[in-house]
Amino acid sequence: VALISASLEGADESVRLENARVLGRIGRPEDTDMVTSLLKDPSADVRRAAVEALSRISVGGDCEALRLALADESYLVRIAAAQALVVSTRENSRDDLERLMHDEDCRVRSATLRAIGAHDCVGLTREDKFALLESGLEDVGAVSLAAIEALTQLGGIEAASCASSLLAHSESELVQAAVGCLGSHADQEKLLELLPLV
């Protein structure tokens, strides 16, 4: 860590990027300040690697710097911050995740939904997750598809109930994903909703 710290000053972008990645592997909570300083790097790749490192070395990713990365100009950095936020120990992560659900870039919204479905999040109850995923179903196609995938991962009759709202959608890909979700999680009564599609 000391060698990395000494080599950061005036280093090329490739060196800064590799150092950020290495810090993500060997860094300790006490190295958080060094990683946080990389969040101001001019390179989006370095900032993204710093966010990923921060989520590993700070205590559960519970760091104010992580929240600031949610407003980064690069959508890749915002995606990394969303994924880190979902696995963090932040108790109040719902507000930040809701803000990401209104991000201007649909790739950020999609990645946020997939992360919500794939990970347990301390700051989200199961009801919170379903509320966020249900709002994603009303978004553009790619985001709706991400929401359906997340619902399928989350599972349960609630997931099937949410997915059934897309059975009459005009995009066949979304209907197919909704049918898959119902096929995995619906009870017998809910499966009857598929009969008109036959």
Side-chain angles (χ1 to χ4, degrees):
V1 172
L3 287 170
I4 289 172
S5 178
S7 68
L8 283 174
E9 189 76 29
D12 290 339
E13 178 182 342
S14 60
V15 174
R16 299 193 313 272
L17 178 59
E18 290 308 316
N19 283 342
R21 289 176 175 160
V22 171
L23 281 171
R25 300 279 185 255
I26 67 168
R28 305 151 298 176
E30 54 264 38
D31 302 319
T32 299
D33 288 345
M34 187 191 318
V35 177
T36 300
S37 69
L38 291 172
L39 292 175
K40 300 171 187 170
D41 196 277
S43 165
D45 289 336
V46 174
R47 295 195 307 274
R48 180 183 184 185
V51 169
E52 291 168 352
L54 196 60
S55 70
R56 292 188 190 106
I57 69 169
S58 63
V59 182
D62 191 8
C63 179
E64 190 60 27
L66 184 61
R67 193 162 182 257
L68 296 174
L70 296 172
D72 195 277
E73 63 186 28
S74 167
Y75 80 91
L76 291 172
V77 176
R78 297 197 305 276
I79 286 174
Q83 292 167 339
L85 183 66
V86 168
V87 297
S88 77
T89 57
R90 291 178 65 92
E91 294 289 347
N92 57 347
S93 59
R94 178 172 176 158
D95 292 343
D96 294 324
L97 289 169
E98 281 183 342
R99 195 173 77 211
L100 284 169
M101 290 302 303
H102 295 96
D103 194 277
E104 63 187 25
D105 196 308
C106 67
R107 292 168 292 191
V108 175
R109 300 195 303 274
S110 297
T112 301
L113 290 168
R114 286 192 177 97
I116 289 170
H119 301 285
D120 290 328
C121 181
V122 172
L124 288 181
T125 64
R126 189 169 170 85
E127 291 74 22
D128 289 336
K129 285 187 172 192
F130 278 112
L132 290 169
L133 294 176
E134 202 164 7
S135 70
L137 292 175
E138 300 166 5
D139 209 319
V140 296
V143 180
S144 294
L145 190 58
I148 284 284
E149 290 171 5
L151 284 167
T152 304
Q153 279 189 299
L154 204 53
I157 189 64
E158 307 102 315
S161 294
C162 291
S164 66
S165 67
L166 290 183
L167 291 178
H169 203 281
S170 59
E171 291 187 41
S172 60
E173 190 177 6
L174 290 176
V175 176
Q176 289 171 12
V179 169
C181 185
L182 266 76
S184 297
H185 303 295
D187 59 15
Q188 187 173 355
E189 183 180 347
K190 205 71 184 163
L191 284 173
L192 293 175
E193 295 183 23
L194 298 179
L195 289 179
L197 296 176
V198 176

